[in-house]
């Protein structure tokens, strides 16, 4: 085949692919947080107070495999930090050291091999388990832990290490001991000698490491991300003292993005599990606010191909009902993403992966930007959050808008 014919064929194939693809459809009118009668006035006032000094406004985002890559949380982090200031990168977890995927905006490496590791859904947990859903133990008496925060403005000098109960690490930097101050039985604070985006620390101790939190000396927003493949409300509730460990982050807002895995398994106890998680956290974090998010439509494979996973809509309805009856704020991503039939459009636009379940990087970036916009709209006072979420079956095609608003 001649070079010209090859080029023409390639162009024809590209044109066919473009012709088959559809623009992803977003319901922009639905992109708002419904407060369901909750009062965020004090939270909004605190965040927008021009006289604030050295505050850290902390958001903890808890989720499953959609959250584990960190893309959604990072879009929220970037958007809110641009508006309210950068308080630091926040929590990073030894996901790669534990043998699973981790966000791309940090590197956490050890000079020692891993003697034991645990993941949230593993049947045995030889390294124990902390609130992050992963844990690693290092071989030998110590290890050199290398920390790199990769995006702009991620310098840090304050570090909190989360570890096995009563098993804090002795830390050295450049051969000089770094004094630790115990925050709780599973968290210890350290202050480095200078602010940096890279640190090489010598750790000594036989405990497990659950995560490291990176903060700077500035006021602003911190977004701590806890995401684990396959996670459900129940799997986090099975972590000993999960809520108490969350309290070490001192959150003002907790975003919970779960429900997909319940929809692919059992969700008969979903309402009670949501209630238990929120009440557990409330007991140790007085005044904290919650934002529940719903999963978008996905598809399940069968012998005849893929079909809509109808239980996603059922789980979505349960989350909406809980928010309404318990006065908890909800962001209905199911509706924002386009409601029933959205998965085919997201697949066609290549925002959803070919597993018909997870989004690609572009899809998660879009989801994160939409969530950040909804949060910013409420936190700046541009939206009062009082809209009632309409059931999907009452939405007409006129309610579905593409990204340009056409």
């Amino acid at each position: 085949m001649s070079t010209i014919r090859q080029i023409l064929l390639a162009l024809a194939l590209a044109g066919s692919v473009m012709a088959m693809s559809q623009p992803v459809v977003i319901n922009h009118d639905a992109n708002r947080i419904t407060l369901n009668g909750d009062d965020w006035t004090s939270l909004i006032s605190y965040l927008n107070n021009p006289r604030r000094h050295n505050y850290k406004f902390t958001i903890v985002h808890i989720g499953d495999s959609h959250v584990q890559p960190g893309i959604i949380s990072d879009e929220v982090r970037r958007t809110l930090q641009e508006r309210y200031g950068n308080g630091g990168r926040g929590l990073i977890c030894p996901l790669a050291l534990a043998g699973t995927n981790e966000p791309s905006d940090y590197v956490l490496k050890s000079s020692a091999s891993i003697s034991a590791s645990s993941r949230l859904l593993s049947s045995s947990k030889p390294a124990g388990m902390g609130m992050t859903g992963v844990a690693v133990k290092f071989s030998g008496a110590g290890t050199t832990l290398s920390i790199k925060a990769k995006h702009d403005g991620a310098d840090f000098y304050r570090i909190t290490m989360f570890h096995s109960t009563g098993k804090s690490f002795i830390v050295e930097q450049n051969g000089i001991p770094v004094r630790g101050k115990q925050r709780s039985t599973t968290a210890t604070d350290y202050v480095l000698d200078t602010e940096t985006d890279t640190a090489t620390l010598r750790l000594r101790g036989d405990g497990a490491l659950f995560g490291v939190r990176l903060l700077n000396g500035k006021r602003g927003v911190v977004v701590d991300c806890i995401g684990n493949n396959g996670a459900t409300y129940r799997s986090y509730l099975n972590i000993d003292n999960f809520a108490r460990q969350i309290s070490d982050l001192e959150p003002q807002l907790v975003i919970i993005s779960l429900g997909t895995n319940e929809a692919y398994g059992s969700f008969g106890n979903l309402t009670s599990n949501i209630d238990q998680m929120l009440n557990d956290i409330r007991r140790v974090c007085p005044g904290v606010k919650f934002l529940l998010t719903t999963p978008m439509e996905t598809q399940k494979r069968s012998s005849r191909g893929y079909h809509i996973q109808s239980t996603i809509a059922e789980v979505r309805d349960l989350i909406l009902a809980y928010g309404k009856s318990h006065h908890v704020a909800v962001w209905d991503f199911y509706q924002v993403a386009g409601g029933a039939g959205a998965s085919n459009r997201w697949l066609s636009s290549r925002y959803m992966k070919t597993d018909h379940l997870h989004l690609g990087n572009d899809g998660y970036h879009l989801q994160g930007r939409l969530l950040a916009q909804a949060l910013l709209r409420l936190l700046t006072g541009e939206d009062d959050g009082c809209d009632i979420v309409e059931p999907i079956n009452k939405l007409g095609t006129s309610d579905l808008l593409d990204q340009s608003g056409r």
Side-chain angles (χ1 to χ4, degrees):
M1 184 182 294
S2 68
T3 301
I4 294 177
R5 288 185 64 193
Q6 288 176 324
I7 293 173
L8 291 173
L9 179 59
L11 290 172
L13 289 172
S16 297
V17 170
M18 291 179 65
M20 288 188 294
S21 67
Q22 303 171 19
V24 66
V25 178
I26 300 299
N27 187 342
H28 287 282
D29 289 342
N31 190 29
R32 59 183 59 213
I33 292 166
T34 303
L35 289 178
N36 287 315
D38 195 9
D39 185 1
W40 282 27
T41 303
S42 60
L43 183 150
I44 294 170
S45 297
Y46 176 82
L47 187 58
N48 291 280
N49 180 4
R51 297 181 180 179
R52 60 192 182 274
H53 297 286
N54 293 325
Y55 80 98
K56 299 288 187 184
F57 183 90
T58 298
I59 299 172
V60 176
H61 191 186
I62 301 168
D64 48 29
S65 57
H66 300 299
V67 172
Q68 183 169 328
I71 298 173
I72 301 170
S73 303
D74 192 50
E75 288 289 348
V76 172
R77 180 183 298 112
R78 289 173 184 272
T79 298
L80 296 187
Q81 286 183 347
E82 182 178 345
R83 173 70 182 237
Y84 296 109
N86 181 348
R89 168 56 178 80
L91 183 65
I92 63 175
C93 306
L95 292 159
L97 290 175
T100 186
N101 59 298
E102 71 181 16
S104 61
D105 70 332
Y106 68 82
V107 176
L108 198 59
K109 290 184 177 180
S110 166
S111 64
S113 59
I114 304 302
S115 63
S117 65
S118 303
R119 296 202 295 268
L120 184 62
L121 297 188
S122 57
S123 56
S124 64
K125 297 179 174 59
M129 181 56 57
M131 65 174 178
T132 61
V134 290
V136 294
K137 295 187 75 172
F138 308 107
S139 61
T143 185
T144 297
L145 189 71
S146 300
I147 303 171
K148 171 69 175 178
K150 296 170 67 174
H151 62 72
D152 293 340
D155 289 0
F156 57 90
Y157 80 96
R158 292 171 53 195
I159 291 178
T160 302
M161 290 194 180
F162 298 90
H163 50 73
S164 305
T165 302
K167 297 279 189 176
S168 61
F169 293 97
I170 298 173
V171 178
E172 294 181 355
Q173 184 182 28
N174 300 322
I176 301 173
V178 180
R179 181 177 295 180
K181 181 179 180 181
Q182 188 171 321
R183 174 179 289 267
S184 72
T185 58
T186 55
T188 305
D189 296 331
Y190 303 88
V191 179
L192 306 183
D193 56 5
T194 185
E195 195 165 86
T196 179
D197 66 357
T198 305
T200 302
L201 306 175
R202 179 70 179 172
L203 307 186
R204 288 190 289 120
D206 61 356
L209 179 69
F210 303 149
V212 182
R213 196 178 193 219
L214 311 178
L215 299 179
N216 57 34
K218 303 171 185 176
R219 67 187 188 185
V221 172
V222 179
V223 178
D224 295 314
C225 176
I226 299 173
N228 289 271
N229 296 334
T232 62
Y233 279 92
R234 175 45 52 186
S235 55
Y236 282 115
L237 290 171
N238 287 338
I239 299 174
D240 289 340
N241 298 310
F242 175 73
R244 185 193 57 72
Q245 293 180 60
I246 290 291
S247 71
D248 286 325
L249 300 170
E250 299 181 340
Q252 283 99 334
L253 174 63
V254 175
I255 302 173
I256 305 177
S257 298
L258 293 167
T260 297
N261 294 302
E262 281 91 343
Y264 280 78
S266 172
F267 55 90
N269 295 323
L270 177 60
T271 298
S272 60
N273 289 337
I274 296 173
D275 200 48
Q276 183 179 341
M277 180 178 285
L278 270 56
N279 286 331
D280 286 352
I281 296 174
R282 280 194 188 102
R283 276 191 287 270
V284 291
C285 300
V288 69
K289 296 298 181 182
F290 292 96
L291 174 61
L292 306 180
T293 79
T294 63
M296 72 168 286
E297 181 186 86
T298 61
Q299 299 183 12
K300 185 176 182 178
R301 188 173 186 174
S302 68
S303 58
R304 297 183 179 182
Y306 286 94
H307 62 271
I308 301 301
Q309 181 72 3
S310 60
T311 50
I312 287 284
E314 295 179 50
V315 165
R316 176 252 183 183
D317 288 343
L318 287 173
I319 294 172
L320 292 184
Y322 181 90
K324 185 174 182 180
S325 63
H326 290 77
H327 308 296
V328 174
V330 175
W331 182 64
D332 188 10
F333 183 53
Y334 185 98
Q335 185 175 352
V336 174
S343 57
N344 282 326
R345 294 186 288 270
W346 282 63
L347 280 162
S348 179
S349 303
R350 301 180 184 176
Y351 280 85
M352 182 175 279
K353 288 185 176 180
T354 54
D355 66 1
H356 295 232
L357 172 61
H358 296 95
L359 304 184
N361 285 354
D362 288 343
Y364 285 129
H365 279 293
L366 175 58
Q367 182 180 356
R369 287 194 296 272
L370 289 165
L371 175 56
Q373 289 167 7
L375 274 168
L376 196 60
R377 186 176 181 183
L378 180 60
L379 295 172
T380 57
E382 296 175 10
D383 182 10
D384 61 10
C386 291
D387 290 71
I388 298 174
V389 178
E390 293 291 340
I392 286 296
N393 59 16
K394 291 185 179 179
L395 290 174
T397 55
S398 61
D399 293 298
L400 301 178
L401 306 175
D402 68 26
Q403 294 179 74
S404 63
R406 291 189 293 270

